[in-house]
Amino acid sequence: MGSPLAWLCFLCTTKVTLCGAYVWTPAEVFPDKKTWTEGMQNSDCHLLGRAFIADRLEDVRVQGVTDNSELSTQYWIGAHVQYSKWMRFSGCYQMDIQQMTSEAGSYSITECYKFCDGTSFGLTIDKCVCLDTPGPVRNTDYDYCMATPCQIDVGEFCGDTTLWSKTCLCWYDVLDLRSDNRIGNCKSTINRQLTTTNCSDKHAFLCQRRNKVRRYQEKMNWTEAGFACHRDHRSQFFDRQFPKRKRSGRYWVGLFRKQSFSWGNSTPSGKEFDCLSASVSKDGKLNTFVRKCYSRLPLLCNQPEPKLPKRLSTLVFTTTETVQTTNTAQPGGLSVISLSVGVVCGILVTLLAVVIFVIIYRFRKKRYDTQASSNRQEVASSDIAAVHYEHIRPENRECQVYDVCGHTSATYDYITTQGGIDKSPE
């Protein structure tokens, strides 16, 4: 691994893709089980993901792990998720939004939440609207309207139609709910208690129309249940715990939160967060799972970098100083390895261009030499023909050429200078 070729191969397969869409990175397993925090601080393992910045999780592919491990095994990686506040989907209503603060364009819930600075907000099919008050009282304030999948995220609810001066607006309120320290981004109710649940789980659900709450035993995930309330049952997603103690079972309600993904290079800023583990599929893809950070798992580590050859080492270390200076002046600049790979790729492209130039030059030179040789042969043939032509001129008819050919001068006495034939023999 100390040769220049090995180093170039390492650079070209670590955190950079030259010819494909994926970020391939060599990895190895550290078998001792650690908590996520212990894994991040472990000096013997550089946890996979700690060096990543803007790479998308779905683009990362791992080399060197699937051959020696079970595909079901989970490892800690250098990534975590943070959560927004809990929000309530309060339903969709016909409203006059012309006097409200709004921003045109396709917005997600997360973007509209940020735009409205954490206050209540609403989404139409093409606008984010900031609201000054909590959601309307369901049985008196506004007429219901139909929710439709948002353009930017089909798993979110947006208002569908505009009628005269009113627009269908799906209303969201921001809540201060105490965390129950469970994994999941949606709320269900069981025995009158709200509990955090994975949104992809299948449960029955509750819908409300005016002042009536109904339960539906169809098993759906949280998003499907919300749309079912609107489309199939002409009502709204119920957003509180189930009001009657006698009815047991788990039901979806319209409470949820959003999560944001970050690689390990960004430290969680005091907000509630959980950590990511991953299993590795046969094609190197990471299948991720949100887990509590105190769980103990083996670690998925980046392979150690090979020892640099002396000449390449000088190049990379010189580049390192340049990058450090650049990063000091401009935060978020290129990493050392990215710039190093850029230099190496530039050299490879230059060498490839030189090889192509040499091949083209040799091909053209060969073709030119062949053509020149052919021209010389044609010229030589023309000279020979001219010589023989000279021999048949009258003044050269006694040339030795004719004697060599076995002819006598008398044979040509019939040829006159005018090209005629003398019919009188001597």
Side-chain angles (χ1 to χ4, degrees):
M1 291 294 292
S3 66
L5 179 60
W7 178 250
L8 291 178
C9 292
F10 177 83
L11 289 179
C12 291
T13 57
T14 302
K15 199 179 171 296
V16 167
T17 308
L18 296 180
C19 300
Y22 299 131
V23 179
W24 288 94
T25 180
E28 60 185 6
V29 173
F30 188 87
D32 294 347
K33 293 185 177 181
K34 306 282 186 181
T35 66
W36 185 81
T37 303
E38 291 171 345
M40 290 290 289
Q41 297 172 350
N42 194 306
S43 59
D44 296 327
C45 169
H46 193 274
L47 208 58
L48 181 72
R50 285 177 58 184
F52 293 169
I53 298 176
D55 302 289
R56 298 193 311 165
L57 179 63
E58 56 268 29
D59 292 340
V60 175
R61 294 293 184 272
V62 173
Q63 293 175 313
V65 174
T66 54
D67 293 339
N68 301 316
S69 64
E70 298 180 3
L71 297 181
S72 60
T73 303
Q74 291 185 32
Y75 312 95
W76 282 131
I77 62 173
H80 61 272
V81 293
Q82 290 185 273
Y83 301 107
S84 70
K85 287 186 175 183
W86 285 97
M87 288 176 266
R88 175 173 60 211
F89 173 42
S90 297
C92 301
Y93 307 91
Q94 292 287 352
M95 300 178 62
D96 184 359
I97 65 171
Q98 295 181 2
Q99 304 302 320
M100 298 180 182
T101 302
S102 64
E103 182 73 11
S106 297
Y107 272 71
S108 66
I109 289 175
T110 301
E111 292 169 336
C112 194
Y113 170 79
K114 292 179 180 178
F115 174 74
C116 295
D117 198 23
T119 64
S120 297
F121 61 91
L123 289 173
T124 72
I125 197 64
D126 60 357
K127 282 185 179 180
C128 163
V129 181
C130 300
L131 305 169
D132 297 330
T133 59
V137 178
R138 292 176 183 271
N139 59 349
T140 58
D141 293 355
Y142 302 102
D143 293 329
Y144 290 163
C145 58
M146 192 75 67
T148 191
C150 296
Q151 294 180 357
I152 198 169
D153 187 341
V154 295
E156 297 179 352
F157 305 97
C158 285
D160 189 10
T161 58
T162 299
L163 181 63
W164 300 106
S165 62
K166 293 186 177 181
T167 301
C168 184
L169 177 85
C170 289
W171 196 308
Y172 297 90
D173 292 322
V174 181
L175 308 175
D176 287 319
L177 289 182
R178 181 180 299 177
S179 172
D180 58 7
N181 204 32
R182 294 175 180 269
I183 298 294
N185 294 321
C186 295
K187 287 288 188 182
S188 62
T189 181
I190 180 169
N191 298 328
R192 294 197 68 199
Q193 295 295 321
L194 291 173
T195 181
T196 303
T197 312
N198 284 320
C199 302
S200 59
D201 291 349
K202 303 282 187 177
H203 298 300
F205 55 96
L206 300 174
C207 301
Q208 179 177 355
R209 184 171 179 84
R210 300 300 179 184
N211 57 351
K212 294 182 180 180
V213 179
R214 295 183 179 180
R215 58 179 181 171
Y216 296 90
Q217 298 299 334
E218 305 165 79
K219 301 292 185 179
M220 298 183 178
N221 65 37
W222 187 87
T223 302
E224 292 169 344
F227 281 118
C229 284
H230 281 261
R231 290 194 301 257
D232 302 336
H233 306 296
R234 301 292 178 180
S235 55
Q236 306 285 6
F237 210 172
F238 185 65
D239 57 15
R240 295 168 180 83
Q241 65 265 32
F242 199 67
K244 296 183 180 181
R245 292 187 180 183
K246 294 182 180 180
R247 295 181 178 179
S248 60
R250 186 187 293 271
Y251 297 88
W252 285 126
V253 294
L255 303 177
F256 69 98
R257 64 182 176 182
K258 289 295 184 177
Q259 71 179 33
S260 58
F261 168 86
S262 297
W263 289 112
N265 60 78
S266 80
T267 305
S269 57
K271 298 180 180 179
E272 185 180 358
F273 73 95
D274 287 313
C275 301
L276 281 187
S277 64
S279 64
V280 183
S281 59
K282 291 183 179 180
D283 61 356
K285 182 180 179 180
L286 294 175
N287 306 303
T288 57
F289 307 87
V290 179
R291 299 178 64 107
K292 289 300 175 183
C293 302
Y294 52 73
S295 304
R296 304 190 73 85
L297 297 174
L299 310 179
L300 189 60
C301 314
N302 286 321
Q303 281 189 358
E305 297 181 2
K307 186 177 180 181
L308 284 171
K310 186 174 181 180
R311 292 182 180 178
L312 190 56
S313 175
T314 303
L315 170 64
V316 173
F317 291 149
T318 302
T319 305
T320 301
E321 296 177 0
T322 305
V323 173
Q324 288 176 345
T325 303
T326 304
N327 286 343
T328 301
Q330 300 177 350
L334 291 175
S335 63
V336 175
I337 190 169
S338 298
L339 190 55
S340 302
V341 171
V343 172
V344 173
C345 292
I347 294 173
L348 293 176
V349 171
T350 303
L351 291 175
L352 181 62
V354 171
V355 170
I356 294 174
F357 174 78
V358 171
I359 292 174
I360 293 175
Y361 173 78
R362 289 185 174 181
F363 174 77
R364 290 186 174 181
K365 186 174 183 302
K366 183 177 180 181
R367 188 173 64 179
Y368 173 80
D369 291 344
T370 302
Q371 186 174 2
S373 176
S374 175
N375 291 339
R376 284 195 297 270
Q377 291 177 0
E378 292 178 2
V379 171
S381 300
S382 299
D383 292 342
I384 293 173
V387 169
H388 283 282
Y389 178 75
E390 289 295 329
H391 286 191
I392 64 175
R393 293 169 61 183
E395 58 267 37
N396 295 326
R397 63 188 178 191
E398 297 300 329
C399 178
Q400 188 178 1
V401 174
Y402 304 116
D403 295 334
V404 173
C405 294
H407 299 285
T408 62
S409 59
T411 306
Y412 300 95
D413 286 341
Y414 296 100
I415 301 175
T416 64
T417 56
Q418 289 76 21
I421 297 176
D422 189 354
K423 297 182 180 179
S424 300
E426 293 181 357

